[in-house]
Amino acid sequence: MPGVNDLCIKQNTSDPKLHRWKTDPQTPFAPSIDVAIYIDKYHGISSKLRRIIEKAGVGSYEESITNNNFFEQWTRYNLFAWDSPVIDDLRSKIYQTYLDYCSSLNAVAQDRDNLLIRGWAVRLEPGEPIGMHSHSLHDYTFVSGNMSLGDYNTTTDYWLPLYSLYEGPFECQNTKGTICMFPSWLQHGVANNSAGTVRFSLAFDLFVKDHIKFVLKTESQSSDLATILEKAIAL
């Protein structure tokens, strides 16, 4: 029986970085699904990013669970606001990946000056998992991503609507410099860290400036979404 990876549709065969699952409904009751994940590779910056994160002492999943401040742990800072040439380089790389992602989907890309970004570090001790979750479910949901900062015997697992119910999740191997970009609503998680060492990664959300004012019209200033947007900065 084929696995979920075998069911992947290469919508743009000239770009093997795009992984897409898409239905073609022929009746009003047939499922309408279109999920696209873009996998890129960044060279030469992973170790530098890890050292910056270790020095900052942020990202502990264990600490957030112990102190029952999971949401606060990921929203009290924005990694992309840190003053570092490496972070600046990462922002530029992310925008290029976003452009390539849109190109492979034949989608119109936003200008860089109309995009905001917020990011955080994730430090997983051996045996720790990250439960299945999504980053955004509102009408202006956009793009998220994560990046592995080392070579680990773990995967980030993406739960594809309907497909994964029968075929299992799409598994992206956590290798050094691998970055996955995906719709922010897509559920994903990490099984127990079986790497035998601390697993370092970073994650981020992209937002469209022109959309935020519409989102905040329906949100109180103390809401979780308002808290997240408050720390977003220009990509």
Side-chain angles (χ1 to χ4, degrees):
M1 191 171 183
V4 71
N5 287 26
D6 298 313
L7 299 174
C8 175
I9 301 168
K10 293 295 184 184
Q11 186 72 10
N12 185 339
T13 55
S14 66
D15 191 348
K17 297 177 182 179
L18 180 69
H19 303 262
R20 192 175 192 179
W21 297 261
K22 189 176 186 298
T23 59
D24 184 21
Q26 299 298 308
T27 80
F29 306 100
S32 180
I33 299 168
D34 189 358
V35 183
I37 298 174
Y38 199 81
I39 301 178
D40 208 345
K41 188 89 167 181
Y42 297 166
H43 300 282
I45 65 172
S46 298
S47 296
K48 296 175 183 177
L49 288 167
R50 173 175 170 164
R51 286 195 292 270
I52 290 171
I53 289 168
E54 285 188 284
K55 184 177 180 180
V58 296
S60 173
Y61 187 82
E62 180 181 34
E63 178 186 330
S64 68
I65 297 300
T66 301
N67 297 333
N68 196 29
N69 66 346
F70 187 80
F71 181 75
E72 180 186 351
Q73 175 81 343
W74 313 125
T75 58
R76 62 186 172 88
Y77 66 94
N78 183 352
L79 180 150
F80 290 92
W82 296 352
D83 184 16
S84 167
V86 180
I87 299 294
D88 293 341
D89 185 24
L90 177 61
R91 286 159 56 190
S92 295
K93 290 179 183 296
I94 286 173
Y95 183 63
Q96 185 59 55
T97 297
Y98 162 74
L99 291 178
D100 295 341
Y101 188 13
C102 290
S103 176
S104 289
L105 292 172
N106 296 317
V108 177
Q110 295 284 333
D111 291 336
R112 184 170 177 176
D113 60 7
N114 197 33
L115 292 176
L116 301 176
I117 190 168
R118 188 188 71 86
W120 59 97
V122 182
R123 174 186 174 124
L124 276 188
E125 301 292 334
E128 287 185 337
I130 297 179
M132 200 66 69
H133 65 284
S134 63
H135 294 190
S136 176
L137 294 173
H138 58 76
D139 290 344
Y140 292 95
T141 289
F142 200 57
V143 173
S144 295
N146 55 60
M147 178 182 175
S148 179
L149 302 184
D151 291 313
Y152 306 112
N153 185 30
T154 62
T155 59
T156 300
D157 303 331
Y158 298 87
W159 194 261
L160 310 170
L162 297 186
Y163 288 99
S164 290
L165 180 62
Y166 299 101
E167 309 296 342
F170 173 65
E171 300 177 345
C172 181
Q173 189 68 40
N174 297 144
T175 57
K176 191 172 184 178
T178 296
I179 181 165
C180 291
M181 199 170 282
F182 53 91
S184 297
W185 59 262
L186 185 63
Q187 289 183 301
H188 57 286
V190 179
N192 289 348
N193 178 10
S194 58
T197 185
V198 178
R199 173 190 176 276
F200 285 91
S201 63
L202 62 84
F204 61 87
D205 294 325
L206 294 179
F207 308 95
V208 180
K209 281 184 185 178
D210 291 344
H211 294 169
I212 288 178
K213 58 186 176 183
F214 295 106
V215 174
L216 293 180
K217 280 183 180 179
T218 61
E219 296 288 326
S220 71
Q221 292 303 303
S222 61
S223 71
D224 289 350
L225 182 55
T227 300
I228 289 170
L229 293 176
E230 180 186 10
K231 289 188 171 61
I233 66 167
L235 176 62

